């Protein structure tokens, strides 16, 4: 793939991801069964942050098993083809970081979701979780898959056989 095309796809991915405010979570329950939910998020320094209630199932599951997949997916109403929705999935490790010494993260949540909403939530039983991605894959459409490494700011095309193709 040509470097110009790869750069255009990287910008498309960045625009897509920047427009998302919630992510889908795939966690594992105490019996090893998958559990899917969602949470509003903010992103900084290559990590995602979610603010969730202690009574939510996914809170407990993340505490017990920190392995989690996070997915951003295009709105059905906005996609041209439901079989090829734009999406990105990240394999992550979750860590409950609590609420102390997290002013920078709370400022991002306030900027994105409003101060009054965050003030209300901060009075409840919510806690911040940090999701650290170890790998990611962006799907722009049929035959358009790209591996993403947020920590290294790498974006590589994946061939139809599943192998990464480094652009020259």
């Amino acid at each position: 793939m040509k470097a110009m095309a790869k750069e255009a796809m990287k910008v498309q991915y960045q625009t897509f991801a920047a427009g998302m405010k919630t992510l889908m979570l795939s966690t594992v329950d105490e019996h090893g069964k998958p559990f899917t939910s969602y949470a509003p998020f903010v992103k900084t320094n290559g990590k995602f942050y979610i603010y969730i209630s202690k009574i939510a199932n996914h809170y407990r599951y993340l505490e017990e098993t920190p392995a989690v997949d996070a997915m951003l997916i295009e709105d059905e109403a906005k996609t041209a083809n439901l079989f090829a929705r734009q999406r990105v999935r990240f394999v992550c490790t979750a860590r409950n970081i609590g609420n102390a010494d997290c002013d920078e993260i709370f400022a991002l949540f306030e900027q994105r979701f409003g101060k009054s909403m965050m003030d209300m939530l901060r009075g409840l039983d919510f806690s911040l979780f940090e999701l650290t991605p170890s790998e990611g894959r962006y799907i722009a459409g049929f035959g358009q898959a790209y591996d993403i490494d947020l920590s290294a700011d790498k974006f590589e095309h994946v061939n139809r056989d599943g192998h990464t193709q480094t652009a020259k």
Side-chain angles (χ1 to χ4, degrees), residues 16-17 19-27 35-44 47-52 58 62 68-74 88-92 94 109 112-113 129-133 150:
F16 166 71
M20 304 300 285
K21 292 185 177 181
T22 62
L23 50 74
M24 304 297 294
L25 296 167
S26 180
T27 56
F35 180 81
T36 304
S37 58
Y38 86 99
F41 75 97
V42 296
K43 187 178 114 184
T44 186
K47 296 179 181 184
F48 299 99
Y49 295 87
I50 59 174
Y51 195 48
I52 57 178
H58 52 229
L62 289 172
V68 59
D69 275 11
M71 179 183 229
L72 307 175
I73 188 163
E74 184 177 27
V88 61
R89 182 187 61 88
F90 294 97
V91 176
C92 301
F109 269 102
R112 193 157 212 201
F113 300 104
F129 278 79
E130 177 183 77
L131 307 180
T132 304
L150 291 176

Side-chain angles (χ1 to χ4, degrees), residues 40 49-53 99 106 109 118 121-122 126-128:
Y49 295 87
I50 59 174
Y51 195 48
I52 57 178
S53 170
N99 299 326
F106 281 119
F109 269 102
M118 294 312 298
L121 293 176
R122 288 188 78 176
F126 280 55
S127 185
L128 280 170

